[in-house]
Each structure stands twice: as C-alpha cells, then as structure tokens.
Amino acid sequence: EDQVTQSPEALRLQEGESSSLNCSYTVSGLRGLFWYRQDPGKGPEFLFTLYSAGEEKEKERLKATLTKKESFLHITAPKPEDSATYLCAVQYSGGSNYKLTFGKGTLLTVNP
Amino acid sequence: DTGVSQDPRHKITKRGQNVTFRCDPISEHNRLYWYRQTLGQGPEFLTYFQNEAQLEKSRLLSDRFSAERPKGSFSTLEIQRTEQGDSAMYLCASRAPGAMNTEAFFGQGTRLTVV
C-alpha cells in the first residue's frame, strides 16, 4: 500500500481556472508534509512545509493546507507558468527519522 | 551560495561501465541525501549522510552502488557494472543542521542513460 497518494495524476486547467491538488497519507507520527514543484528535467523546488493539522501556508497563487490524513494545494487563478509536476512528501516517526517519502506527483498543465 | 550543485547533468554510458556522480550541498548543510527518480514516479530514497557518516541506506542501494562523503562536504555516488535498469535521474538534496524535519533542497539532478 502506498504511503503517499496524490490525485489527480494529471490536471489540465484553463488560465484563471482555480483548482486543488490532493495528497493523502497513511503514515502515523507525521513530522512534516512537504510540497515541491518540479519542472521537466530539473530537480524538485521547495514550496512549503506543514507540520500540524490546521496549518496553512501561502505563496503567490498557491496555498497549502493540512488535515490529519491529507493535504491540499490550492491554486488560485493559475497562469501557464504554473505548469509543472507538483510533488508531495512526508516525513514520519514510524519509519526512518531522516528521509522524505514521496508520492508520484500531479502533472498540472495550465493552458493560456 | 547557489544551492545544491550536481555534476554531471547528463551521463550516457554503456552497460557494464562504472559511473560516478558528484553532489556539492549548500554550504554548512551537514545533512545530505541521494534519491533516484524514474519517469512518472516520485523520488525514491537511496541513502543519507549526516556529516561524513552514512546513517541509512535503502534496500534499493544494491551492492553495485556506493556513496561516500569523505570530509562531510561534497558526496559521490558510484554505480559499478551499470545495467539498463539503472537509467534514471539521480537527485541530491541537503538540509541545514538542527531540527530533523526542516526543508530539504534539491539539486538539478544527474540524468543517467545506460545503453
């Protein structure tokens, strides 16, 4: 069973059409949930860290929220330059104390 | 400081050859990670260093793989007798000292193609 599941696998939006990406996790003892953006052929770029349920963080058109079992990445009025793969990762105390466990990502395409 | 640096960016090698990748972490980041990413998948953990000590290795890291961080600064990842299944993006990440769950910063990766 995957510990981190992202949905949808792919999302196509029109410019200005707001939406949300989901990251659900089954691990216990969450020590942090991380969102990254990845452009083709490049390494992941850090966006947010969330530590506890109820926490929210914002950056430009992006807002990340966290509950006890999932996180959402809300994208408000997206632009074509927001097109990328968005990765979610968790760090939890039940397994290694060091590593991040990633989901498979959501490929976002924003059409002009 | 320009972030985590990886070299080379791309490597094409013939099956059976050895390859070595280098990672230079952000200055003063004492924690360093290697991940592997294949197409359509998220990064998978390979190994973790704190300073020069290799504290954890994934079962994905077969005996053909070896990683070092001799002076607690840069790190190398070597793959011996490469196989086609080793073709992937190899990512390095570093974290600052302190809390174990701070953000990790990734390099641009090394794309390995085994032909």
Side-chain angles (χ1 to χ4, degrees):
Chain A
E1 178 185 349
D2 287 345
Q3 295 169 312
V4 183
T5 303
Q6 292 190 246
S7 62
E9 291 184 6
L11 179 64
R12 190 176 295 270
L13 300 173
Q14 289 297 121
E15 185 172 1
E17 180 186 2
S18 301
S19 188
S20 295
L21 312 182
N22 178 264
C23 171
S24 63
Y25 57 93
T26 57
V27 303
S28 57
L30 183 74
R31 301 191 67 192
L33 186 140
F34 304 81
W35 282 99
Y36 288 85
R37 169 193 170 127
Q38 187 173 30
D39 293 308
K42 297 191 175 181
E45 174 189 347
F46 172 75
L47 293 174
F48 303 109
T49 309
L50 301 166
Y51 294 106
S52 57
E55 190 174 1
E56 299 181 350
K57 289 193 177 172
E58 289 188 65
K59 180 181 178 180
E60 297 181 352
R61 296 178 292 282
L62 300 177
K63 179 180 177 180
T65 61
L66 180 64
T67 71
K68 288 186 177 180
K69 287 299 178 186
E70 60 190 347
S71 176
F72 292 93
L73 185 65
H74 307 279
I75 303 177
T76 302
K79 298 182 178 181
E81 53 261 43
D82 294 322
S83 297
T85 295
Y86 290 85
L87 295 165
C88 166
V90 299
Q91 184 171 340
Y92 61 102
S93 57
S96 161
N97 281 328
Y98 312 116
K99 69 181 182 184
L100 300 180
T101 300
F102 282 85
K104 294 181 180 180
T106 293
L107 175 61
L108 174 66
T109 304
V110 182
N111 295 317
Chain B
D1 186 15
T2 57
V4 179
S5 177
Q6 292 189 245
D7 183 70
R9 291 292 311 278
H10 303 275
K11 179 72 176 179
I12 300 174
T13 190
K14 292 183 178 180
R15 189 173 52 187
Q17 296 295 305
N18 299 343
V19 294
T20 300
F21 310 141
R22 177 179 170 123
C23 171
D24 287 90
I26 294 172
S27 297
E28 301 181 353
H29 279 197
N30 66 331
R31 294 179 282 169
L32 187 148
Y33 302 76
W34 285 99
Y35 284 81
R36 181 172 70 185
Q37 186 177 26
T38 54
L39 196 63
Q41 303 294 313
E44 295 177 294
F45 171 78
L46 292 179
T47 190
Y48 164 68
F49 289 87
Q50 184 167 308
N51 301 311
E52 65 276 10
Q54 188 174 20
L55 297 186
E56 186 171 350
K57 292 191 293 185
S58 165
R59 55 184 169 81
L60 294 175
L61 211 65
S62 76
D63 56 5
R64 296 185 297 106
F65 288 70
S66 63
E68 294 184 343
R69 194 182 183 198
K71 296 183 179 180
S73 56
F74 73 92
S75 176
T76 59
L77 177 68
E78 180 183 15
I79 309 175
Q80 296 181 330
R81 305 180 303 281
T82 53
E83 301 173 356
Q84 286 190 323
D86 297 331
S87 295
M89 174 80 89
Y90 290 84
L91 294 163
C92 177
S94 70
R95 265 171 154 165
M100 293 303 297
N101 53 355
T102 56
E103 58 269 24
F105 295 95
F106 283 82
Q108 296 290 34
T110 294
R111 168 73 65 189
L112 173 66
T113 303
V114 181
V115 298

